Amino acid sequence: MRMKKEQLVYVRIAAVSLSCLVATLTLCNLLTVVTHGIDFEVPEQDDFTWAIDPVEKRILFLTNFTVKNHGVYDIEDIDVNAWLVTDDGRTLLGFSKEDMVVSWGSDKRFEVMIPMDLDEIPLSDWFGLLYKDTAINLILDIDADYMFGLVHVTVDEVLSYQWYAPFSDYDGDFMATLFSIVEIVGYDLGHSFGDVERAIIEQAMLIEDFEFVSNDGYAIWVNTSDVSEGIREMACEITAPLEYFDGELDIGFRVHLGLPNDVPYVRLEEVSVSYVGE
Amino acid sequence: MLANETGRRASVKALFALMFYLVIPVAAIYVILNSYPALGKERFVNMLYWFIPLSIVLVIVSQLSIRYPKGDSRRFIYNIAYVVITLLWLVAFLGGGLVITETWDQYHFSLHLWKYVLLIVGVALFNSLYYVLEWLTYKDDVEVKIDYNSIGSMTIIPLLAKG
């Protein structure tokens, strides 16, 4: 393939221009990035707050992160995904926000609002939060595009926060039994009960009516019925004052359990989780 | 330094390579390290360790390529070498990978550069295309004359053909 020499000059000009452009981009933009002209400030523990959404009856987990863009291009397509996860890996809540933009030369703060829908969190997770000290992890995943999408920025952080369960110090055996019952209640229908579950049910059959109210507002009521055909009903109400707002969380459940014909049987009859404002 | 075909001691191309691939980056890194003492020096020192030698090779190759007339195979080979070394220089500048991980306080964020590198590879290919076209267009203009008087050393003297 041959070209006229005059035409080749234009190719040369284009090649040199593109080379200069790329070299300038490399020097200016990448050095801007490595000197934190672009930066993501993720929240610290003090940046977390709680609020109540009285209309939707939701508890809101609020935090924020800031994007600093001191570069010369907009940061576009910022997607934020956040999850609250227990230390044993179970996801409590999720949050997603997409297609945000931070213009060049500006800082922008984004609010992260994770709603805790009281009806969506499994009973065992609620109970676990009341009974077991745990670490709650906020998994923060931020994706963004810079330089017209040529550079993709990702932030993957796991922020750990200690959760002190209000009932963790109270009567370990009783609460442990109650928690075990709640856990096996949550099993799938197809789950086959083994010796461990049988032992839990046997222990549950021995629980008597129980009432506890602490000075700081925590309360547990357990009412049990007589055993009929190997099955008894157990109703439990738990009240937990919410530290961050005026109100309390009421968790209640009613379960039938027993060993009819020596076969383990557990059935959740009713469950309710509600926020009560003062 | 050898004079090129135009009689200058240093070609524009070599000066360009010297400025863009050596002087400006080294100056920028020096300014960054002095302006942002919180940044780890190790990464920048590693960058310098690789891309300073590559920059020097780039300057030498660009100067050597200009010694030969357009259409000469040796000029073509030097030009292609220049493009390849430019890509190696870029890899060194990016820290040896397609992802740069930044740490600020205890948090990390990553810059994924594969699209950007793709653009650069595209420009490098375009430059290579130019050098191929230049070689094909001018190669008939170059007359290779074997100096039989010094046949022992097989010196090949390229000359620009008339017209």
Side-chain angles (χ1 to χ4, degrees):
Chain A
M1 187 170 67
R2 297 185 63 176
M3 294 181 78
K4 289 181 181 173
K5 291 173 184 172
E6 294 77 18
Q7 292 173 320
L8 200 58
V9 171
Y10 294 116
V11 179
R12 179 61 177 158
I13 290 170
V16 171
S17 302
L18 285 171
S19 300
C20 289
L21 178 69
V22 167
T24 307
L25 283 175
T26 305
L27 288 170
C28 297
N29 295 310
L30 293 184
L31 292 177
T32 301
V33 170
V34 298
T35 55
H36 301 279
I38 295 170
D39 199 11
F40 290 80
E41 291 179 359
V42 294
E44 296 180 356
Q45 185 145 8
D46 293 343
D47 299 324
F48 286 79
T49 54
W50 301 81
I52 280 288
D53 177 358
V55 178
E56 299 287 335
K57 279 214 160 191
R58 295 183 305 182
I59 297 170
L60 303 176
F61 180 79
L62 300 169
T63 186
N64 62 73
F65 71 96
T66 304
V67 179
K68 284 167 53 182
N69 182 5
H70 296 178
V72 293
Y73 305 101
D74 294 350
I75 300 177
E76 299 169 322
D77 294 331
I78 302 173
D79 299 340
V80 176
N81 292 291
W83 301 270
L84 272 182
V85 179
T86 60
D87 61 348
D88 56 0
R90 284 182 299 171
T91 301
L92 295 177
L93 309 153
F95 166 87
S96 185
K97 201 170 182 178
E98 296 181 339
D99 296 332
M100 294 171 284
V101 175
V102 178
S103 303
W104 64 275
S106 67
D107 295 354
K108 194 165 183 179
R109 199 166 91 154
F110 295 99
E111 299 294 332
V112 175
M113 185 189 74
I114 304 179
M116 301 173 75
D117 190 323
L118 302 184
D119 294 327
E120 287 189 5
I121 298 180
L123 175 65
S124 57
D125 285 337
W126 277 121
F127 202 85
L129 289 174
L130 294 172
Y131 164 60
K132 285 166 69 178
D133 287 345
T134 185
I136 293 183
N137 298 313
L138 175 69
I139 298 175
L140 194 60
D141 176 8
I142 303 173
D143 292 277
D145 285 338
Y146 185 65
M147 282 175 68
F148 312 110
L150 290 174
V151 176
H152 187 66
V153 185
T154 58
V155 178
D156 295 302
E157 284 293 342
V158 179
L159 310 166
S160 198
Y161 303 94
Q162 187 61 41
W163 172 269
Y164 298 102
F167 292 118
S168 60
D169 295 332
Y170 180 74
D171 195 346
D173 288 344
F174 174 77
M175 289 300 288
T177 303
L178 210 54
F179 183 62
S180 299
I181 293 168
V182 169
E183 280 204 314
I184 61 173
V185 160
Y187 286 168
D188 293 336
L189 287 175
H191 187 94
S192 58
F193 290 131
D195 291 342
V196 175
E197 289 83 4
R198 174 183 286 273
I200 291 167
I201 293 171
E202 284 172 351
Q203 212 167 352
M205 299 300 279
L206 303 174
I207 288 178
E208 296 178 353
D209 287 359
F210 178 83
E211 181 179 329
F212 165 76
V213 179
S214 75
N215 292 331
D216 48 2
Y218 291 100
I220 305 175
W221 293 273
V222 175
N223 291 304
T224 55
S225 69
D226 294 333
V227 178
S228 169
E229 297 178 354
I231 295 174
R232 77 189 303 201
E233 182 179 275
M234 179 184 291
C236 179
E237 293 286 336
I238 298 171
T239 297
L242 295 169
E243 184 184 344
Y244 298 96
F245 18 74
D246 296 330
E248 62 187 33
L249 196 65
D250 287 345
I251 300 173
F253 63 90
R254 193 161 56 83
V255 62
H256 285 174
L257 50 81
L259 294 162
N261 303 321
D262 206 31
V263 176
Y265 174 85
V266 177
R267 182 171 163 177
L268 183 65
E269 295 292 324
E270 185 184 344
V271 62
S272 66
V273 180
S274 59
Y275 164 74
V276 180
E278 288 183 349
Chain B
M1 193 178 283
L2 293 167
N4 59 32
E5 83 229 29
T6 61
R8 287 187 305 224
R9 288 189 172 274
S11 68
V12 173
K13 188 177 175 183
L15 288 173
F16 174 87
L18 184 70
M19 290 302 292
F20 264 94
Y21 295 112
L22 187 62
V23 175
I24 294 175
V26 169
I29 288 173
Y30 178 79
V31 170
I32 287 167
L33 287 177
N34 283 287
S35 305
Y36 301 90
L39 292 175
K41 286 187 179 178
E42 189 182 353
R43 182 217 297 207
F44 292 99
V45 171
N46 284 338
M47 282 168 64
L48 290 172
Y49 182 77
W50 283 102
F51 86 70
I52 285 180
L54 286 168
S55 309
I56 293 168
V57 174
L58 267 175
V59 173
I60 293 169
V61 167
S62 57
Q63 182 65 25
L64 285 174
S65 71
I66 215 76
R67 284 185 66 197
Y68 303 101
K70 290 176 181 174
D72 189 294
S73 297
R74 286 162 296 181
R75 179 184 176 115
F76 172 66
I77 289 167
Y78 279 126
N79 282 333
I80 295 298
Y82 179 85
V83 173
V84 172
I85 296 166
T86 303
L87 288 175
L88 291 175
W89 180 93
L90 181 80
V91 170
F93 193 80
L94 296 179
L98 297 179
V99 179
I100 295 177
T101 301
E102 282 297 309
T103 304
W104 197 249
D105 296 330
Q106 71 270 42
Y107 303 119
H108 310 280
F109 68 96
S110 302
L111 303 162
H112 303 261
L113 304 168
W114 68 269
K115 285 183 188 170
Y116 186 64
V117 170
L118 208 60
L119 172 75
I120 292 164
V121 170
V123 172
L125 288 174
F126 187 66
N127 273 277
S128 301
L129 175 68
Y130 165 75
Y131 292 128
V132 170
L133 291 172
E134 181 194 77
W135 179 60
L136 291 173
T137 304
Y138 284 93
K139 73 174 181 179
D140 290 344
D141 295 351
V142 176
E143 182 181 285
V144 177
K145 180 182 176 184
I146 300 175
D147 183 357
Y148 290 101
N149 293 328
S150 55
I151 196 73
S153 60
M154 283 297 289
T155 307
I156 297 171
I157 304 169
L159 293 173
L160 278 173
K162 288 180 182 176

